[in-house]
Amino acid sequence: MAKLALALHGGAGTILRSLMTAELEREYRGGLETALRVGWSVLKNGGSSLDAVESAVVSLEDFPLFNAGRGSVFTHDGKNEMDACIMDGARLRAGAVAFVRNVKNPIKLARLVMSRTEHVLLGGEGANQFAEQMGVEMADDAYFFTDHRYEQLLKARDAGIVQLDHSAVELRILDDMPGPDKPPEARIKGVETVTRSKGTVGAVACDSAGVLAAATSTGGMTNKKFGRIGDTPIVGSGNYADCRCAVSCTGYGEYFMLSVSAFDVAARMKYKDISLSQATAEVVEHLTAIGGEGGLIAVDSAGNVSLPFNSDGMYRGWIDSDGKTVTAVYD
């Protein structure tokens, strides 16, 4: 019997300690712990890793502080557009959705794409039509409305920027607007990003049969336009699982796409014959080298877990074979 393992994340970025209150940190950790318990209950009762990661991510999607499902950020038009991906490492099958609206739990829809269609990725109106056909639970706009997310949108609109930010993010309009003698980076709309946390949630697991699975979900970017899609629904970029490892990424999605980060972990393990911890460390090092920020969670078929990141913090949690729950935010 393989060693059971479960890890999850709730986003990574510049999560400043100076802005993190004890109460807020308890709320984040509580959301992580709840999701861990949900996923672990599946594994310890002999359930599959696929069911475990789906259940854990559903819990994270239902928690309003994380940028996925109910807590999703707003687009420029004041809408919630969500992406998700799930992958079964044993069968190398995956399902993903992008641009879905009013779907309560996008990760459930992604799994239906995998199990009920011959496709991998469905997007936009077609994905929503598929959701209706499958009888997926929907929710009205009010369900996805949270005050802190809407305030983020208003600030981002006023500043004229697109934010890849988590709920801990605050924008402060500078009283002294930078003049022409200031460096270009200081002249960007006179905005100081106090903390930037890239909001995505994800889970990876190894079940009693040694089968691996990964699931990732996101609400995207605050004030996003032009139909931008990040790494989350792209198999191999933000989410991947095979017989060696299961990986879920969080951070600046464009860089994870450019480096195909999730698959790169598996490739390094296969072609370099190195451990999970070595492979994930190298992937994050490469991410840093090309200017990317964020982190990832990964598990291998022996139940080893790795959760590296190059940002100031990453909301994360894991459970070892003894059932001990651990959550963390900072290094």
Side-chain angles (χ1 to χ4, degrees), residues 46 75 81 87 96 107 138 179 192 207 212 215 221 229-230 281 287 292 306:
T75 67
E81 293 180 345
M87 188 161 185
I107 197 66
M138 309 295 284
E192 179 181 351
D207 61 27
L212 305 171
M221 301 164 56
I229 298 177
L287 183 70
S306 182

Side-chain angles (χ1 to χ4, degrees), residues 12-17 194-196 293-294 309-316 329-331:
T14 308
I15 307 168
L16 298 184
R17 292 177 185 269
V194 179
T195 174
R196 298 175 304 161
E293 181 186 4
F309 57 96
N310 66 2
S311 51
D312 285 353
M314 181 169 74
Y315 299 104
R316 62 201 188 279
V329 179
Y330 302 102
D331 192 2

Side-chain angles (χ1 to χ4, degrees), residues 34-279:
T34 297
L36 282 169
R37 288 194 294 269
V38 168
W40 190 252
S41 67
V42 174
L43 293 177
K44 73 178 183 180
N45 289 313
S48 70
S49 56
L50 200 61
D51 288 340
V53 296
E54 179 185 14
S55 298
V57 169
V58 165
S59 180
L60 294 169
E61 288 176 335
D62 290 343
F63 187 71
L65 289 184
F66 294 126
N67 178 18
R70 187 182 181 190
S72 293
V73 298
F74 290 95
T75 67
H76 179 75
D77 297 326
K79 304 294 184 181
N80 305 106
E81 293 180 345
M82 299 163 284
D83 308 329
C85 181
I86 192 167
M87 188 161 185
D88 178 356
R91 297 184 295 166
L92 279 182
R93 295 194 62 195
V97 293
F99 291 137
V100 295
R101 293 183 176 180
N102 299 106
V103 176
K104 185 181 179 186
N105 294 110
I107 197 66
K108 290 185 176 182
L109 184 59
R111 184 164 181 180
L112 286 170
V113 172
M114 180 182 70
S115 63
R116 302 294 293 275
T117 80
E118 59 186 11
H119 309 301
V120 171
L121 173 62
L122 298 182
E125 184 58 34
N128 270 86
Q129 290 176 3
F130 177 67
E132 293 176 8
Q133 181 178 319
M134 291 291 101
V136 170
E137 185 175 2
M138 309 295 284
D140 59 20
D141 291 344
Y143 173 80
F144 298 95
F145 184 92
T146 55
D147 289 334
H148 68 284
R149 293 300 188 202
Y150 194 66
E151 289 173 6
Q152 282 181 353
L153 172 62
L154 296 181
K155 290 177 181 179
R157 277 179 175 173
D158 290 344
I161 63 170
V162 176
Q163 257 176 272
L164 297 104
D165 293 342
H166 202 277
S167 60
V169 172
E170 296 180 10
L171 288 179
R172 183 164 67 245
I173 306 301
L174 300 181
D175 294 330
D176 180 18
M177 293 292 286
D181 58 325
K182 302 291 179 67
E185 60 270 20
R187 294 201 297 270
I188 301 176
K189 301 296 182 180
V191 173
E192 179 181 351
T193 304
V194 179
T195 174
R196 298 175 304 161
S197 173
K198 284 68 178 179
T200 307
V201 304
V204 293
C206 176
D207 61 27
S208 59
V211 174
L212 305 171
T216 311
S217 181
T218 186
M221 301 164 56
T222 298
N223 198 33
K224 73 174 183 179
K225 303 177 184 178
F226 314 125
R228 180 262 184 186
I229 298 177
D231 62 312
T232 295
I234 309 301
V235 174
S237 291
N239 197 79
Y240 186 75
D242 63 9
C243 63
R244 291 175 179 80
C245 62
V247 184
S248 176
C249 301
T250 175
Y252 203 126
E254 277 68 14
Y255 290 96
F256 286 90
M257 288 190 283
L258 290 171
S259 57
V260 200
S261 298
F263 174 74
D264 195 23
V265 175
R268 289 173 187 269
M269 292 180 69
K270 178 179 181 179
Y271 298 118
K272 298 182 71 175
D273 192 25
I274 58 178
S275 68
L276 179 74
S277 61
Q278 290 176 296

Side-chain angles (χ1 to χ4, degrees), residues 269-324:
M269 292 180 69
K270 178 179 181 179
Y271 298 118
K272 298 182 71 175
D273 192 25
I274 58 178
S275 68
L276 179 74
S277 61
Q278 290 176 296
T280 55
E282 289 184 3
V283 168
V284 172
E285 286 174 5
H286 175 68
L287 183 70
T288 303
I290 64 173
E293 181 186 4
L296 59 86
I297 57 172
V299 62
D300 65 17
S301 58
N304 297 307
V305 174
S306 182
L307 305 91
F309 57 96
N310 66 2
S311 51
D312 285 353
M314 181 169 74
Y315 299 104
R316 62 201 188 279
W318 64 96
I319 297 183
D320 60 24
S321 58
D322 296 325
K324 181 181 178 182

